[in-house]
Amino acid sequence: MHSSLQSNSSSRLYLNPCKSKLTQYPIFFHFPQSRKLSDIPRKSLRTSIDFEQEGVSKEEQLVVPSNGTLLPIVIKNSGRVSRYLLKGDSLELVCVDEDYHDDSTPFSAPGLWKLIRLSSSAAKDFFIPKQVNDNYISYVKWKFLHRVFSSALQVLATQAMFRAIGIGQSRSLASSAAFNWILKDGLGRLSRCIYTASLASAFDTNLKRVRFSTSVLFSLSIGVELMTPVFPQYFLLLASIANIAKQISLSCYLATGSAVHRSFAVADNLGEVSAKAQIQTVCFDNLGLLLAVLLNMLFRNNQRLQASLPFVLYPIFSAIDLLGIYQGLKHINLQTLTKNRLEIILERWIESRRVPSPAEVSQEEGIDLLGSRASKKVWPIRIGCLDPKAQIPKLSIMGMQSLCKDDGYFITVALSSQGFRRTPKPGIVICLREGANTVDVITSLLQACYIRKAFGTSGIKRRDVSISVEDWSLLVGESKRASQDDFITLNKQMQEQGWIVKNVLLSAQEQVRYIFDKKL
C-alpha cells in the first residue's frame, strides 16, 4: 500500500511548476517573480491594428497616436465610439469615431450632425430598454400617438366638468361640488373592483380584445364627461357613468400591463421594460397636457369658441387615440399559449409540419373584437363541458359510457345554438378531466384538429352529425395515436420558436373539468 502511493520519477504530475520544463503552450510559461510587467518587450503587446490592413488604404485606417498603441477593444456608449490606448504603463480611453479629429464648431454642419446623433442616441437610451424585441420601437411610436391625444382629451374633459359644477363662479357651492366629486369617484372604484373580479381570466386569454374594447369604453367616457356642461343638472349621473367606464379601462390597463411588458423583455429584464414604460407614459402625457394648454391659450379671448372647442376636437382626437391603440396592439407578440393561439399553431402544424413564430400567430390572431373568428369555422372546437340543452348525438353518449379511469379527456361532437338566430351548428367539444396537465390539453386539441380535418375531407358539413359509431371510434383512435406520436416533435419546435409551453391559459368556461366516478 505504501509503495503504491510513491510518485513515479518519470511522471511530471507532482513536479514543482516553477522547476518544470516549458510546455508547448506559451500560456503555461511562468515569469520569475522579480520580473516586472514593464520589462516585457513592447512587441508582445502590439496588435494587428498597428499593421496595414489588406485591401484598406492608410487614409481609411484609424489614426494611431505616435506616443501610444491602440488596443482592439471598442467601447460604445451613448453614440460615442472609443478605444483603449496603451501609453507606457497606463491605459487611456480615447474617442476614435469619425468626428474625433474634426475641429469644426458644434454649429457647423458636421458638428450639428454629431450633436443630433448624440441627442437621438441619448433619447433612445432614456426611453428604450437595452434588450427588447425588434417590434418594440414601432409599439412605442403608436403609444406616443395614443398617450398624447388621450391626455389632451382628458384635460378638455376635466375643464368641461369644472364648468358643469360651477367652479370659478360666485354662485357655486364648494361643499356640494366636493360631495358630488367624491361620490362619483367612489362609485367608479366600486365598479372597478366588480369588473376586475368578474373578468380576471379574460385578461390572459383575450388580452388584446379586452384591452381595445376597454379603450373604446374609455374614449366614450370622455365624451360623456364633455356633455356635463350641457346638462349640469345631471352632473352626478353623467360623471358617475363616465368614471365607472374610466375605472374599468384603468383596471384592464394595469392588469394586462405586465403581460405586454413581458412579451418585449427578451433577457428577463421585465423591471427595466416596466420602468421605461412608466417614463414613456409620463413624458407622452405631459406632451398631451402641453397640447391642451396651447389650444386653450390660443382661444382664450373667445369664451364661446373655447367652450365649443372640446366638441370639435373630440371626434378627431378620439379617432387618432384609438388608431394608436389598435396599431400598437398589433405589434405585441405574446408568447403565452391560449386555446385560440394553440389552435392556430396546431392547424399550421398539420398543414406544413412547422410551428409558426409568435409574430406569425399574432398577425393571424389579430384583435378579434367580436370574438367571431372561432365561430366562422365549419367545425368550431370548444373546451369545456357538454351543454345539456344542446342536441347530443348517440355516439357522444356511448363515448362517455366507455370512459376509463386512465383517460385524461374525451372528445365528442354536439349541436349548439350560436349567433343571433340561434341556429344549431355542429361543433367538436373537448372535455378535460380533473387534474389534466398541459400535455393533455395540447394532445386533446391536436386530436380535435385532426378530427376536424377528417370531417372536412369527407365532406361532413350537414347540421345533423350523420356518422356511424364504428367510423367515429376508428377516427378517434387514429387521431389519438397521431397526436401522441407528434407531441414530442411538436413540443420541441414550439420551444425553439419561443413559446412558453409550461401552461396553457384557459378561460373560466374552459377550466370546467369532469371527475371520473369509480363507483359507477
Side-chain angles (χ1 to χ4, degrees):
M1 179 68 69
H2 179 72
S3 61
S4 62
L5 294 176
Q6 293 180 355
S7 60
N8 190 359
S9 58
S10 63
S11 176
R12 299 171 55 190
L13 182 61
Y14 299 98
L15 291 179
N16 190 350
C18 297
K19 297 182 181 181
S20 61
K21 297 181 181 180
L22 294 178
T23 65
Q24 58 177 334
Y25 303 103
I27 195 173
F28 296 111
F29 177 73
H30 297 274
F31 293 105
Q33 296 182 356
S34 61
R35 194 172 183 182
K36 299 180 180 179
L37 182 62
S38 59
D39 298 333
I40 302 174
R42 295 289 181 183
K43 294 182 179 180
S44 63
L45 293 178
R46 295 182 62 85
T47 61
S48 60
I49 198 172
D50 298 310
F51 301 96
E52 183 177 355
Q53 301 177 10
E54 296 181 359
V56 182
S57 62
K58 293 183 178 180
E59 291 78 12
E60 295 178 353
Q61 296 181 26
L62 293 175
V63 179
V64 182
S66 58
N67 56 349
T69 302
L70 285 174
L71 299 180
I73 300 177
V74 180
I75 305 297
K76 294 183 179 181
N77 188 15
S78 300
R80 184 185 295 264
V81 181
S82 305
R83 279 183 183 268
Y84 281 108
L85 173 66
L86 180 62
K87 208 177 220 182
D89 295 336
S90 62
L91 287 177
E92 295 182 5
L93 194 63
V94 296
C95 182
V96 293
D97 59 359
E98 57 185 2
D99 297 325
Y100 174 65
H101 298 286
D102 190 6
D103 297 331
S104 58
T105 61
F107 298 99
S108 61
L112 183 60
W113 173 252
K114 179 180 179 181
L115 181 62
I116 295 175
R117 182 165 54 86
L118 292 177
S119 301
S120 61
S121 179
K124 183 178 179 181
D125 293 340
F126 183 76
F127 285 103
I128 307 300
K130 296 294 182 183
Q131 295 179 330
V132 287
N133 289 336
D134 297 335
N135 55 342
Y136 184 76
I137 302 295
S138 301
Y139 168 77
V140 173
K141 291 178 182 178
W142 290 109
K143 180 182 178 181
F144 167 79
L145 199 66
H146 148 59
R147 297 300 307 187
V148 168
F149 288 93
S150 177
S151 178
L153 276 177
Q154 293 182 60
V155 174
L156 298 176
T158 303
Q159 291 177 347
M161 295 177 68
F162 283 161
R163 288 195 297 269
I165 61 178
I167 291 181
Q169 301 179 9
S170 57
R171 68 176 183 271
S172 64
L173 297 176
S175 59
S176 177
F179 174 76
N180 289 341
W181 202 274
I182 294 173
L183 185 59
K184 64 102 178 174
D185 284 349
L187 293 175
R189 292 173 182 175
L190 179 61
S191 301
R192 173 183 172 182
C193 295
I194 297 175
Y195 170 78
T196 306
S198 59
L199 293 179
S201 61
F203 295 141
D204 293 319
T205 55
N206 299 308
L207 186 147
K208 294 183 180 181
R209 183 197 309 171
V210 174
R211 190 156 185 169
F212 185 76
S213 60
T214 53
S215 299
V216 174
L217 192 64
F218 182 86
S219 181
L220 294 176
S221 69
I222 294 179
V224 174
E225 289 180 346
L226 293 176
M227 297 298 296
T228 52
V230 182
F231 305 99
Q233 65 274 19
Y234 300 110
F235 170 80
L236 182 59
L237 176 62
L238 295 178
S240 299
I241 294 175
N243 197 60
I244 288 173
K246 277 189 172 183
Q247 292 294 330
I248 290 175
S249 179
L250 178 61
S251 65
C252 176
Y253 180 82
L254 296 176
T256 58
S258 59
V260 173
H261 299 158
R262 192 183 299 111
S263 67
F264 293 113
V266 298
D268 293 335
N269 53 339
L270 181 59
E272 181 189 11
V273 175
S274 301
K276 297 293 185 180
Q278 295 181 25
I279 295 174
Q280 296 165 7
T281 301
V282 171
C283 295
F284 298 163
D285 287 352
N286 287 337
L287 290 177
L289 177 62
L290 179 61
L291 176 61
V293 171
L294 292 177
L295 291 173
N296 284 320
M297 292 178 62
L298 185 62
F299 301 99
R300 61 183 176 182
N301 296 327
N302 192 335
Q303 296 295 329
R304 185 175 181 180
L305 185 59
Q306 188 179 20
S308 60
L309 181 64
F311 299 98
V312 177
L313 296 179
Y314 171 72
I316 302 174
F317 282 15
S318 296
I320 299 176
D321 176 29
L322 293 178
L323 176 63
I325 297 173
Y326 183 83
Q327 294 294 334
L329 290 174
K330 291 173 63 176
H331 290 86
I332 298 176
N333 301 329
L334 300 172
Q335 295 88 16
T336 54
L337 291 177
T338 62
K339 184 261 178 184
N340 294 333
R341 295 187 202 121
L342 185 57
E343 187 175 351
I344 295 174
I345 294 173
L346 298 179
E347 287 178 350
R348 292 281 190 90
W349 167 261
I350 294 175
E351 293 176 359
S352 60
R353 313 302 291 180
R354 187 186 68 87
V355 173
S357 64
E360 296 174 343
V361 174
S362 177
Q363 184 178 2
E364 183 175 349
E365 180 186 22
I367 295 179
D368 196 16
L369 185 59
L370 300 178
S372 58
R373 181 186 178 276
S375 60
K376 290 181 179 179
K377 293 185 176 296
V378 178
W379 287 88
I381 300 175
R382 181 174 60 87
I383 299 178
C385 61
L386 289 172
D387 186 6
K389 299 180 181 179
Q391 182 179 352
I392 303 176
K394 293 182 178 180
L395 58 89
S396 300
I397 299 176
M398 296 181 63
M400 288 187 289
Q401 291 177 345
S402 62
L403 281 176
C404 61
K405 61 180 181 179
D406 296 331
D407 294 331
Y409 64 91
F410 70 91
I411 299 178
T412 183
V413 293
L415 293 175
S416 59
S417 300
Q418 296 181 356
F420 296 101
R421 297 182 179 180
R422 310 298 295 176
T423 55
K425 186 176 182 180
I428 302 174
V429 183
I430 300 175
C431 299
L432 298 174
R433 183 180 174 178
E434 184 71 25
N437 52 23
T438 305
V439 178
D440 295 328
V441 176
I442 298 177
T443 306
S444 62
L445 193 55
L446 179 59
Q447 182 181 354
C449 291
Y450 273 123
I451 294 175
R452 178 167 60 188
K453 182 181 179 181
F455 282 167
T457 305
S458 57
I460 302 179
K461 298 181 180 180
R462 289 177 293 178
R463 293 182 180 180
D464 56 338
V465 185
S466 56
I467 181 174
S468 63
V469 178
E470 293 78 10
D471 293 340
W472 172 254
S473 301
L474 181 62
L475 179 59
V476 169
E478 291 180 353
S479 60
K480 186 173 184 178
R481 285 191 296 270
S483 61
Q484 291 176 349
D485 294 339
D486 292 348
F487 176 77
I488 297 178
T489 307
L490 173 65
N491 187 68
K492 182 179 179 180
Q493 287 195 21
M494 290 172 65
Q495 293 180 1
E496 292 175 352
Q497 290 291 345
W499 291 103
I500 302 175
V501 297
K502 293 182 180 179
N503 296 297
V504 179
L505 302 176
L506 301 176
S507 62
Q509 292 78 13
E510 294 169 348
Q511 293 178 5
V512 178
R513 301 288 189 267
Y514 74 89
I515 299 176
F516 184 79
D517 193 358
K518 300 179 181 179
K519 297 180 181 179
L520 297 179

